[in-house]
Amino acid sequence: MRKLFATNLIFLLLLNVVVKPLWIFAIDRNVQIVLGAQEYGFYFALFNFSLLFNFLLDLGITNFNNREISYNPQLISQQFANVLVIKLVLALVYFMVTLGIGVSLGFGKRHIVLLAVLTLNQFLASLLLFIRSNLNGLHLFKADSVLSVMDKAIVIVLVSLLLWGNLKIQLTVEVFALSQTLAYVVAIFIAIWLLQGKYSIAIYREFDRITIITLIKKGLPFAALVLLMTLYSRLDTVMVERLCPEGAVSAGIYAQAFRLFDAFNMYSYLFAALMLPIFSRMMSNQEDITELFNFSFNLILIPVVAVAVPTMIYNRPVMSVLYHEHIDVSSKALVLLMGSFVFVALSYLFGTALTAKGKIWLLCRISLGAVIVSLFSMLILIPRFGVIGAAMANLLANAIASLLQAFFFIRSQGSVISKTSVLKLSLYIVIYTALGLIIQYSVGNNLTGFIATLASSLLVVFGLRIFSFRAIVNFTRGI
């Protein structure tokens, strides 16, 4: 099982390492530079507003479907068409709620038009994710991995033509959003073709009302969890535009730091997406997850810390490479968001393990607490500290959520976690941070120091024998 997990993780990461950085740093970043902080901040705030009610598109059915298909692959022929009907109905509810709240908040005509396109994109993304959940649940991980980057690969081509193709089409936030719509549509057709080729599914069949109602009821706990996690992880990106006097400009500045935070989180997210079906099947079969969990513990947290520490220490040089305006503020926000990045990785690890165990209502209660803390901290901190206050609130909410998840998992399955792994990770963080500060003092606050600190992480890892050369060689041969 570890071999299955590792080989597919490597394939998934290779695809995403090629495609996602191109999207984030070559496309999305250049779109912001071309449009400016205010115009992009307008898009950024509305994009994250469309995410707040994203749970209505799914009601947790995709996560439930992934888990159930992992348990019993034969369910796919019964559930696919019924879930498709549910998602179409939920899409109408999502459109009405999101646009209705937008109108009630006083959004202008341009806000509503762009929001309509963004809500359509959210529906298409949710539909693509549902199709992928079937492939994932069937352990067709390579097909799922290809689809995980398909929409971004298509939109990279489209927006590249708009940015550098000398076309007569002017790049606006509306055109940017519509290019993503086209990419999602193409990716969905490819996903359906791949699924049909791997497994017999009936898209057109008589719908079972009882099955549909049962699926909605079983998915509701997952829906509540998705809503709460979305609120405490994304509400800051909306509130910074609403509570800061500069509005869209502040949202654009926050987006500069948040883009890196979002990009780095992709590693942990991909890891968790692969962990869930494997952990679910192992637990349903009463298999011991100790070895795989500790393998995952090191493989997710060591790279996260390796990136977070130098980014926090050399925050200004990093931001200076990407942007030319508002660096003083966005670099300070980046320090806090990188701290949050470590806690998010911890949450993906322990939260996924708790989800595989079926502890959904426990995760809901933890997330509700994080939402309350996040909301109150934003109302206090953003008016006073602006963009920095939003980053503080983000750090606080993610820290509380992840530490509580870790606490409850350890309390229920403490024997799974190796104390040696925890001790070595703690030593790694302390030694690596100290080494990074020494390098900064020696070579100065520049990119050379950043690269040197990043490289020094390998010395600490092998020095503490977190990973050994022999283990890596044996692991590679096993693949």
Side-chain angles (χ1 to χ4, degrees):
M1 189 61 75
R2 190 173 95 163
K3 179 181 176 181
L4 173 69
F5 178 73
T7 52
N8 286 286
L9 178 64
I10 290 170
F11 182 69
L12 180 64
L13 290 176
L14 284 175
L15 285 175
N16 280 270
V17 162
V18 172
V19 175
K20 294 295 173 69
L22 275 176
W23 161 249
I24 293 166
F25 299 114
I27 303 300
D28 196 39
R29 169 182 160 271
N30 275 293
V31 168
Q32 179 171 0
I33 291 171
V34 170
L35 295 176
Q38 182 169 349
E39 187 71 0
Y40 188 86
F42 165 71
Y43 164 83
F44 181 72
L46 285 178
F47 170 76
N48 286 287
F49 181 81
S50 71
L51 289 176
L52 294 181
F53 308 101
N54 190 279
F55 78 101
L56 291 172
L57 283 168
D58 190 71
L59 291 185
I61 291 171
T62 295
N63 283 330
F64 172 75
N65 183 71
N66 189 332
R67 190 164 168 261
E68 290 297 300
I69 298 298
S70 296
Y71 287 161
N72 185 3
Q74 302 304 318
L75 286 174
I76 188 172
S77 59
Q78 303 171 25
Q79 290 188 178
F80 190 88
N82 290 315
V83 173
L84 209 54
V85 171
I86 295 171
K87 292 192 75 66
L88 290 172
V89 174
L90 292 176
L92 293 175
V93 176
Y94 167 71
F95 291 150
M96 289 188 291
V97 170
T98 304
L99 295 175
I101 293 177
V103 170
S104 69
L105 290 174
F107 286 0
K109 182 180 177 180
R110 191 181 177 213
H111 285 75
I112 295 299
V113 170
L114 179 57
L115 185 59
V117 177
L118 293 172
T119 52
L120 174 60
N121 288 352
Q122 291 301 322
F123 164 66
L124 294 174
S126 175
L127 185 58
L128 179 60
L129 197 59
F130 162 66
I131 299 169
R132 285 179 52 203
S133 76
N134 289 280
L135 292 166
N136 204 303
L138 293 169
H139 284 205
L140 299 171
F141 295 122
K142 287 187 171 60
D144 177 54
S145 298
V146 171
L147 289 171
S148 73
V149 299
M150 182 66 68
D151 60 297
K152 288 294 182 284
I154 295 169
V155 82
I156 284 170
V157 174
L158 295 175
V159 180
S160 293
L161 291 172
L162 293 171
L163 286 169
W164 303 294
N166 295 320
L167 301 180
K168 294 183 179 180
I169 303 173
Q170 182 182 358
L171 179 63
T172 63
V173 288
E174 290 82 4
V175 171
F176 182 49
L178 286 170
S179 66
Q180 295 172 58
T181 307
L182 179 58
Y184 280 127
V185 170
V186 174
I188 285 168
F189 277 110
I190 294 173
I192 292 173
W193 174 73
L194 282 173
L195 185 59
Q196 286 277 31
K198 296 289 184 180
Y199 208 91
S200 177
I201 57 169
I203 297 178
Y204 305 103
R205 59 172 289 170
E206 185 178 347
F207 306 118
D208 186 346
R209 188 178 67 178
I210 295 175
T211 301
I212 289 174
I213 293 172
T214 302
L215 285 171
I216 291 175
K217 285 182 177 178
K218 288 184 176 180
L220 281 175
F222 290 89
L225 180 60
V226 170
L227 168 62
L228 293 168
M229 291 180 71
T230 301
L231 286 174
Y232 78 72
S233 62
R234 287 281 179 175
L235 198 56
D236 54 322
T237 59
V238 176
M239 296 293 279
V240 72
E241 192 262 348
R242 295 279 105 184
L243 296 177
C244 284
E246 299 85 359
V249 175
S250 294
I253 296 170
Y254 192 54
Q256 291 180 350
F258 200 88
R259 179 174 289 112
L260 279 173
F261 171 70
D262 221 14
F264 293 154
N265 275 331
M266 189 56 62
Y267 173 75
S268 305
Y269 167 77
L270 294 171
F271 213 107
L274 197 57
M275 281 170 58
L276 180 59
I278 293 177
F279 275 16
S280 296
R281 184 169 292 186
M282 289 181 72
M283 289 180 179
S284 70
N285 295 333
Q286 304 295 316
E287 295 179 42
D288 185 13
I289 66 166
T290 301
E291 182 185 6
L292 184 58
F293 184 87
N294 284 286
F295 177 73
S296 303
F297 181 87
N298 286 327
L299 209 55
I300 192 172
L301 292 176
I302 296 300
V304 163
V305 173
V307 171
V309 168
T311 306
M312 293 172 77
I313 295 173
Y314 300 93
N315 55 86
R316 188 176 177 83
V318 169
M319 293 304 290
S320 297
V321 171
L322 300 173
Y323 307 102
H324 308 294
E325 297 179 328
H326 313 294
I327 293 171
D328 286 339
V329 178
S330 61
S331 61
K332 292 175 183 176
L334 181 63
V335 175
L336 295 165
L337 289 176
M338 284 300 98
S340 185
F341 166 53
V342 176
F343 287 115
V344 169
L346 205 63
S347 183
Y348 274 126
L349 178 67
F350 289 105
T352 300
L354 288 170
T355 302
K357 278 173 62 73
K359 303 291 186 180
I360 307 303
W361 286 119
L362 170 62
L363 288 169
C364 285
R365 292 194 294 272
I366 292 171
S367 297
L368 178 60
V371 169
I372 294 170
V373 170
S374 176
L375 187 58
F376 276 102
S377 59
M378 281 187 288
L379 291 173
I380 295 169
L381 296 171
I382 293 178
R384 185 173 180 181
F385 300 107
V387 169
I388 307 301
M392 289 177 182
N394 183 292
L395 172 60
L396 186 59
N398 281 305
I400 289 172
S402 62
L403 292 175
L404 284 174
Q405 287 168 10
F407 169 77
F408 283 108
F409 180 81
I410 292 169
R411 193 173 73 169
S412 64
Q413 283 194 284
S415 60
V416 169
I417 304 173
S418 167
K419 293 180 180 179
T420 303
S421 294
V422 175
L423 177 61
K424 285 185 176 182
L425 176 67
S426 302
L427 287 172
Y428 170 72
I429 293 172
V430 172
I431 295 170
Y432 182 42
T433 302
L435 196 56
L437 293 171
I438 292 169
I439 292 172
Q440 184 191 41
Y441 180 78
S442 302
V443 304
N445 192 30
N446 50 51
L447 285 177
T448 302
F450 175 85
I451 295 169
T453 301
L454 196 60
S456 71
S457 66
L458 293 174
L459 296 176
V460 183
V461 165
F462 289 115
L464 292 173
R465 299 186 64 81
I466 296 173
F467 299 115
S468 66
F469 288 108
R470 178 177 294 180
I472 292 173
V473 169
N474 291 336
F475 170 73
T476 306
R477 286 175 179 171
I479 293 174

